[in-house]
Amino acid sequence: MTPRKPSSGSHGHGKDKLLRVLRGSKDLTQRTRRTSVTSVLNLFRRQRTQRNDGQERVPSHEEGTVPRVASGRSSRCAWLVLAAFVAAAMLWAARIPSPEAAPLGPQMSAAAEPEYLTPVEVKLSPDGAKLYIVCEGSDSLLALDTRTRQVVAQVKVGDKPRGIALSPDARTIYVSNSWSDTVSEVDAATFKVRRTLKTGWCPVGLITDPPGKTLYVANSIGDDVSVIDLATGEDTKRFRTRHYPEQVTLSRDGRRVYVSNVLPLPTAYDQPPASELLVINAQKQTVAERVLVPGVIELRHIAEAPARLGSYLLVPFVRPKNLGPLIQVGQGWVLTHGIAVVRPSAVSATEGGKSRVTEVLLDDIDYYFAGNEGVAFTPDGRQALVTAAQANVVSVVDTVRLARRLREVPSEELADRLDSAETIVAYRLPTGHSPSSVEVAPDGRVAYIANRLDDSLTVIDLARRRVAGTVDLGGPKEITLLRRGEQLFNSAKYCFQGQFACATCHPNSHLDGLAWNLETPQLGRDRVANRTLRGVRETGPYKWSGKNPDLATQCGPRIAKFLFRSEGFNTQELEALLTYLNNIPLAPNRHLAADGQLTEAQERGKAVYYRTHKNDGTVIPIQNRCDTCHPADSHYTNKLSADVGTATKFDTSGLFDTPQLDRVYEDAPYLHDGEALTLEEIWTVFNNKDTHGITSDMSKEQLNDLIEFLKTL
Amino acid sequence: MKRILTANWLLALAGAALTAMALAGTARAASTPRPHLITRWENFTTANGMPDAKVFCVTVDGERVWAGTEDGLVLIEHGKVARVFKTEDGLAHRVVMGIALDQATGDLWIATFGGVSHFSGGRFENFTNLTSGLLNDICYGIAVQDKFVWVTTTAGVSRYNTYTGEWTNWSEKNAPFHEPWTYGVAIADNIGKIYFAMWGGGLIEYDQVQKYMKAYTDPDEEMELVLFKNQGLVHIIVSNVAYNPDTKMVWASTYFGLSGYDGRNWHNYLNKDSGLASDFINAPKTRRNEVWNCTDKGLSYLDYKTNTWVNYRPDKNTGHGEIEIVWPDKTKTKLETPTALAHNYILNMDFQGEDIWVATAQGLSHGIREIQKENQLYASARNRRSPGKDAPAHSQEGR
């Protein structure tokens, strides 16, 4: 189908008013930030940076910060090349690594930072009297009296809590602690932690079964679901997931547990993504189906419609067009946002069952609502609320109209139709910063939305279709530079038509698991894999090409010109954003023992990593040793570009930035274009000529050991 | 009168003798072993939905049955071939050599000639030598032990930790493998061991607590002869292995006989001095007091407690099934069933209650036990059996 052209005439007066509310008091296109942006541009234009090959690059007006090689200075170039060569050789010589070198550089201290609450999840008690709020920033659980809208209790839980579940009798609250790898079991009456249960790595979403005997916990980094026997507290078994599971929901009949995954299935880099919704048979405790949701990533919360409406599921998603040039932002369609309508099969997949999936976009033609995250039905199922965390909006979907839309438009068309929202979205309301989770009261009158970066709740009056109020949860009033930066990182309003935020492609400040056709206007050329932002400080230069010497270059005018297709961030905003980026922490290393002691395999792998001789005794040239390009004293990157033989015919250059290796096990896919889906493939498939370290002489055991060591970094 | 009394006395004596003989017969009948019999066979072949004649393995999953063939994975359900999964469905390779059911999750782990497939919720996830730490893509056996998946390959043994993603490999480089070619794996959790069948390398025992491997090889080191009685493994070419948690015995099938090990003594069986149908055994299976042997000359069952053998094979002339019972005293009884195994070349089998499923070179056979028919067969057997002396278990000679 042909996309419809944006037409301002297709929107009513009320909608224009709403858009103005959403975009701020001034229209984005009329904002007068041009002066400050220009000054930043000039600042960067004045900078002359040195590339590692010694060539001078002078950003031109036309190219923004894209470097170009200075011409007509051949002799000077030759000297520079020579100087660079000597410098590089000295660097290598000076960086004979010590195996005992500290594995991590320092993170910027955030000690002076006030403790924000950062409410990420809300859960109502069955009677609606209490709203429990999980606060990731303050490592706490709050209880709000919904009548007085006052916080009446709070308790400290584990590190970075992310999810919440209630026991069927509502006497127990379970909170997942994503960095502690535990669940805190909280007594709802006394609000004290009764016990702490061990889970897999990075627990997020969780739910109990109807009898309250079993707890299902999605372990995001572990890529599995723990099944915890609540009588013994033991993690009895795990279901494998793919990839980064986060949210868990129990079907209303208690028969199924649904688990959504944030990152897509590992797929060939030139194929469109697909994500998985795991369906667990809660009675048999077996996997019933792995539902493929094609073309989308970042499946978030899951809501099930009442049985009389068919018990279908709504799952928010992001639909990226990563195979086409991102230069197309101006034409829209690069990143759209919507909900998957999943009609689960009555029988398991092995019995031939197959759930039906239809994708519907919630964006408007000329303005997008990025970061769909929370979703909840009203008790009668006639409305579904979907939070757009990067647009600071909640969209209220009329499910009767949604059902009609699904009947009228072929399923295969709907996923790309930007005119659905006109039909199915009843209204939209503004929220605070980063509305992440939504709960509707049992009487269906109000809804509560957790504003993650505002330390507040937005209360929606569903009868009057308006914001009934905002509840201040009591976090610090001061908005620090770092906090402001995090808000900016999660805000799509700096992008043309609000299409996406930094966080859209970097969910949880990480990566989206995709390779993107970022800048080259040629279809399929120079695709590059997304890279994590965790621990990104001091790992510059940035980009796979290594063109951006620092984050300011990466995120300043370049972002505006090439990605956001807008004016981007002003000087103050850029400073705040950089402060945030420089403080994105690395998660605890799950492969390293608490005392830092390496296992036997890791020790053997360490010896391989630092080896100087091949198995046959011949010396490995210094430039071919792992630690030459990935030295321990600088996040395992020498910050230089190298040609490791991974370029394909679609790449303009074979030189790519040497990536840092901190928490490398979290960062699949690998290599510049994401061709290597696993760490093993880096060497087994893409290093046939020993250009990416000498590995051809290694036994399989040695390679496995090496990988076990890499996971400890 | 005296003559009459004498006659009466003689009659009474004869009666008493007959009664005594009858009583003795009853007592003997009561002590006769009576292994249960498979009385009917239903076969799944290329004629009724199997993708290939050669079936390498079979695994029962409750009411469902999974079979690995030379051309894909087959699901048998409700008495018919319900689904066939091939490489186009995501299976790692067309040749499926082993299937392990993870009882905890309901997932399957599948050993193929192109790596390992994890089948869950209708989808495959594959692990190969290139994409993972798997030692080799030619995989034969596979077993699930809690969070670990054990895989036997042509290059040794791989263990995958499904919680951490770690692969650990054992080969001739770091384990006492005379040959790295590994066929089978058996989990012996209740004695803390894992056993591996090595082609040319004997039986390998992995101690889960001490974390070391120990090799059991043929003590006489003779390829074709068995010189020492019950002193060790019958032969170093071990084709597969099974562990019986009830008896705590491990059974190793070789191409030259069957070996059982109870942790202290070896119990070996050869065709020439036992009821074993053939010394060429592809795989053993065991439970309770039963040891089933998949041989090239039929399915050979041993009731370990009574030392009674029952061999099943098709009669090539009639197409009927042949049951050969080898009693403890080595006398034999031959019975016939209207239906037969799909082929006498047996590759693997599994239990489904009192029924069995058998992988053969010409299809998959479902062996069904029917009590009434079994009684009829035993009634007919009583008339045909040659009397002999019961022998205690493991008293065979000649190994």
Side-chain angles (χ1 to χ4, degrees), chain B residues 126-160:
Chain B
N126 296 329
F127 302 84
T128 70
N129 178 260
L130 295 181
T131 65
S132 74
L134 180 66
L135 201 46
N136 193 282
D137 285 350
I138 308 292
C139 304
Y140 289 95
I142 194 159
V144 176
Q145 181 214 13
D146 192 17
K147 62 184 174 185
F148 295 118
V149 177
W150 293 84
V151 190
T152 53
T153 80
T154 53
V157 174
S158 282
R159 185 185 70 184
Y160 178 55

Side-chain angles (χ1 to χ4, degrees), chain A residues 448-662:
Chain A
Y448 301 91
I449 296 169
N451 299 314
R452 190 168 68 89
L453 297 175
D454 262 355
D455 290 355
S456 71
L457 302 175
T458 296
V459 184
I460 306 291
D461 183 332
L462 291 167
R464 293 179 179 156
R465 298 186 169 200
R466 65 178 178 83
V467 174
T470 301
V471 180
D472 182 349
L473 294 174
K477 299 296 171 276
E478 173 199 3
I479 301 297
T480 62
L481 211 54
L482 192 151
R483 184 69 160 184
R484 177 72 182 130
E486 188 172 8
Q487 290 174 344
L488 294 165
F489 183 83
N490 285 277
S491 177
K493 76 174 184 180
Y494 296 89
C495 181
F496 178 67
Q497 295 179 331
Q499 290 186 39
F500 53 87
C502 306
T504 310
C505 298
H506 294 283
N508 303 328
S509 307
H510 191 33
L511 44 73
D512 60 9
L514 301 177
W516 285 86
N517 200 171
L518 268 186
E519 291 174 14
T520 312
Q522 293 168 287
L523 189 67
R525 284 202 65 81
D526 295 317
R527 266 194 295 257
V528 285
N530 196 336
R531 289 170 69 169
T532 187
L533 299 179
R534 293 176 181 170
V536 75
R537 183 174 181 245
E538 297 175 346
T539 63
Y542 300 94
K543 294 184 67 177
W544 278 106
S545 64
K547 283 178 177 175
N548 293 333
D550 49 42
L551 286 169
T553 314
Q554 174 80 7
C555 305
R558 180 189 164 273
I559 278 278
K561 184 176 175 69
F562 290 107
L563 296 183
F564 286 170
R565 301 280 153 182
S566 70
E567 295 171 351
F569 303 106
N570 66 27
T571 311
Q572 292 76 30
E573 289 166 339
L574 185 57
E575 186 188 1
L577 181 66
L578 297 182
T579 303
Y580 172 67
L581 291 173
N582 279 316
N583 281 280
I584 297 172
L586 289 163
N589 191 319
R590 267 75 179 196
H591 288 270
L592 191 60
D595 61 1
Q597 189 75 31
L598 299 182
T599 65
E600 288 179 17
Q602 290 165 349
E603 282 286 5
R604 290 194 301 269
K606 184 177 180 179
V608 173
Y609 188 84
Y610 288 107
R611 72 180 186 155
T612 55
H613 293 74
K614 291 169 64 175
N615 287 336
D616 65 6
T618 55
V619 174
I620 299 173
I622 197 164
Q623 69 271 20
N624 279 340
R625 298 175 189 170
C626 301
D627 59 310
T628 300
C629 297
H630 296 284
D633 57 2
S634 61
H635 305 282
Y636 298 91
T637 170
N638 63 1
K639 305 182 180 183
L640 299 173
S641 289
D643 183 347
V644 291
T646 54
T648 69
K649 61 182 179 181
F650 302 112
D651 292 307
T652 303
S653 166
L655 280 173
F656 299 106
D657 178 53
T658 303
Q660 68 273 26
L661 300 183
D662 302 326

Side-chain angles (χ1 to χ4, degrees), chain A residues 369-414:
Chain A
F369 297 90
N372 287 341
E373 194 164 330
V375 60
F377 278 97
T378 53
D380 62 5
R382 291 185 64 89
Q383 293 180 328
L385 287 77
V386 184
T387 64
Q390 291 146 19
N392 302 337
V393 161
V394 60
S395 301
V396 181
V397 175
D398 182 320
T399 58
V400 176
R401 287 191 238 160
L402 172 64
R404 193 182 308 135
R405 181 78 174 166
L406 295 179
R407 283 195 303 272
E408 290 172 352
V409 182
S411 173
E412 57 274 19
E413 275 188 29
L414 265 180

